[in-house]
């Protein structure tokens, strides 16, 4: 899609219940990934949304992004988790704290330091009660 299709995770979860998932197209951001094709990057983002956000019912604010990263990171080996960390946690930190949700930061192809991809260091905030 040429625009971000979801402002709330509930809408995305409802779509998934009907076997549909929309993705904000990488091509629409004019921000290509240095190694992945636009289609590959879109597929990666769809997997993150489904197995991260939708799996735990968390939204797209900073707390939801952190929780989605933590959930999604459990699917990968340590080395692959480092790549996932750059693609999700690193991108989200830059978007939220540097660009203030106004735009996606430049795509990166790097591995953040190991400490950033260690799930044992995560302290989740903003968890729903009950």
């Amino acid at each position: 899609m040429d625009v971000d299709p979801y402002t709330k995770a509930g809408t995305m979860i409802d779509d998934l219940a009907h076997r549909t998932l929309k993705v904000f197209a990488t091509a629409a951001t004019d921000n290509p990934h240095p190694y992945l094709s636009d289609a590959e990057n879109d597929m990666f983002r769809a997997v993150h949304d489904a197995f991260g956000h939708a799996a735990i019912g968390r939204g797209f604010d900073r707390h939801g992004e952190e929780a989605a990263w933590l959930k999604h990171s459990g699917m990968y080996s340590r080395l692959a988790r480092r790549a996932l960390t750059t693609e999700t946690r690193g991108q989200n930190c830059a978007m939220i704290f540097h660009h203030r949700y106004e735009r996606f930061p430049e795509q990166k192809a790097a591995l953040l330091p190991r400490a950033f991809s260690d799930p044992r260091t995560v302290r989740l905030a903003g968890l729903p009660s009950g």
Side-chain angles (χ1 to χ4, degrees):
M1 300 198 74
D2 289 343
V3 296
D4 194 346
Y6 302 113
T7 57
K8 297 185 186 239
T11 307
M12 179 181 61
I13 292 167
D14 289 344
D15 277 358
L16 280 168
H18 294 95
R19 304 178 68 81
T20 299
L21 180 62
K22 301 170 190 149
V23 176
F24 184 22
T26 301
T29 67
D30 194 31
N31 187 6
H33 192 281
Y35 292 118
L36 301 177
S37 69
D38 287 350
E40 290 166 333
N41 198 42
D42 292 348
M43 285 187 272
F44 173 81
R45 291 172 57 205
V47 168
H48 174 71
D49 285 349
F51 290 95
H53 293 281
I56 57 173
R58 297 293 301 267
F60 308 109
D61 66 357
R62 66 185 185 174
H63 301 296
E65 291 293 351
E66 187 72 350
W69 168 81
L70 183 61
K71 177 67 174 173
H72 191 187
S73 71
M75 297 171 60
Y76 298 96
S77 68
R78 278 190 222 165
L79 182 58
R81 187 180 305 125
R82 287 184 68 198
L84 168 78
T85 299
T86 298
E87 291 295 323
T88 58
R89 205 175 196 195
Q91 280 285 100
N92 286 316
C93 284
M95 181 178 69
I96 294 166
F97 298 107
H98 183 70
H99 296 293
R100 310 239 185 256
Y101 289 99
E102 293 176 12
R103 68 178 182 86
F104 283 107
E106 179 183 334
Q107 296 278 341
K108 307 278 190 298
L111 294 177
L112 293 173
R114 289 187 201 297
F116 291 106
S117 61
D118 186 347
R120 298 172 301 177
T121 64
V122 175
R123 304 291 180 262
L124 293 178
L127 291 174
S129 59

